[in-house]
Amino acid sequence: MHPKPTAPTDPLDVETFANPVQQRRFVAAMNRITADREPGTPVRVYITTGPQMRKSSKWDAWLTRITESLPEGVEVLHYHKAFPGDRPYDWDAVAGDLDGLVILGRQKRPGSRVFLMGPVARLELRSLIARKPVLIYTHNLGLIPVIDCKSQVLAPEDAPRLKLVAPKRWQRDTMTLTAALNALNPAKPGQEERTDTTGHLAHPFVAPPQ
């Protein structure tokens, strides 16, 4: 008798796409941010998304959910708040005052763990990914650190977009999410009561070896 062929392994059926070293480096970097912050220092997080998402009838609901998922007291900014009226878009003028970034990407299809970002959001992410907490908001799993996601740059070359894939077995109690939220907490953990938000810095998008 011939042995039964084994079923192909689902490459998305993982808890994270980061390897242990990448996770430890990320957590250490987030812990340094937490340790260096003086309690009560303002914390500003920018939500980046495309114009179509901001015009959606669900925009206010998404904004509320993201805000409630972040530590209490975080100031949440987005395009219309950071660039009101006729103020021209100038990311460099805003980025220096930000403490974190949340991506609200477009789902490839309803229920998908694949999220698409335009060229502007991709550049915003790249400017902060190695220095600040950067997370993606997923409609069914909540906030996920981008460090735990898989990425792929999409054409065209002159204005590349980004595809982020959330791990299929993501767990909200992961050390990376805990560390990222602590780094965005205006009060250091243990010094003031805070709301429970649970529900590759060097090479952040390098997948672990297979």
Side-chain angles (χ1 to χ4, degrees):
M1 293 180 61
H2 297 286
K4 285 185 177 182
T6 57
T9 302
D10 183 353
L12 304 184
D13 190 17
V14 295
E15 294 183 1
T16 177
F17 289 103
N19 63 42
V21 172
Q22 291 167 334
Q23 286 189 304
R24 288 195 296 270
R25 287 176 177 170
F26 177 83
V27 170
M30 296 300 102
N31 289 346
R32 285 195 295 271
I33 293 174
T34 303
D36 291 342
R37 174 170 291 116
E38 292 295 328
T41 302
V43 174
R44 300 178 180 89
V45 174
Y46 186 89
I47 299 176
T48 182
T49 192
Q52 290 184 337
M53 299 285 282
R54 294 195 299 269
K55 293 176 182 177
S56 170
S57 60
K58 299 179 180 179
W59 166 246
D60 288 336
W62 290 332
L63 190 59
T64 297
R65 289 178 196 147
I66 293 172
T67 301
E68 291 176 346
S69 299
L70 293 168
E72 187 175 358
V74 170
E75 180 183 357
V76 175
L77 302 175
H78 50 79
Y79 183 86
H80 293 305
K81 195 170 180 180
F83 308 102
D86 296 330
R87 181 181 176 183
Y89 173 80
D90 185 354
W91 177 250
D92 291 337
V94 171
D97 293 327
L98 296 177
D99 299 284
L101 184 73
V102 172
I103 302 155
L104 179 57
R106 179 173 60 84
Q107 280 182 302
K108 188 174 182 179
R109 58 181 177 274
S112 173
R113 288 180 170 79
V114 178
F115 297 84
L116 303 174
M117 301 167 51
V120 173
R122 174 179 174 268
L123 291 176
E124 292 171 352
L125 179 152
R126 289 186 64 186
S127 72
L128 294 180
I129 187 65
R131 302 183 293 113
K132 305 289 184 178
V134 178
L135 308 102
I136 182 169
Y137 177 76
T138 61
H139 305 289
N140 52 344
L141 298 172
L143 294 174
I144 300 178
V146 169
I147 189 78
D148 289 305
C149 298
K150 181 180 180 180
S151 77
Q152 178 184 356
V153 178
L154 305 174
E157 292 184 2
D158 58 336
R161 297 171 296 135
L162 188 67
K163 178 172 76 173
L164 290 177
V165 183
K168 190 172 183 179
R169 290 192 285 121
W170 165 255
Q171 299 294 323
R172 294 185 183 180
D173 60 354
T174 179
M175 62 180 180
T176 51
L177 179 59
T178 298
L181 293 179
N182 284 343
L184 294 174
N185 188 5
K188 291 183 182 180
Q191 292 187 334
E192 291 184 19
E193 184 177 349
R194 59 172 290 193
T195 301
D196 182 6
T197 54
T198 301
H200 354 329
L201 292 186
H203 303 285
F205 298 130
V206 176
Q210 301 295 322

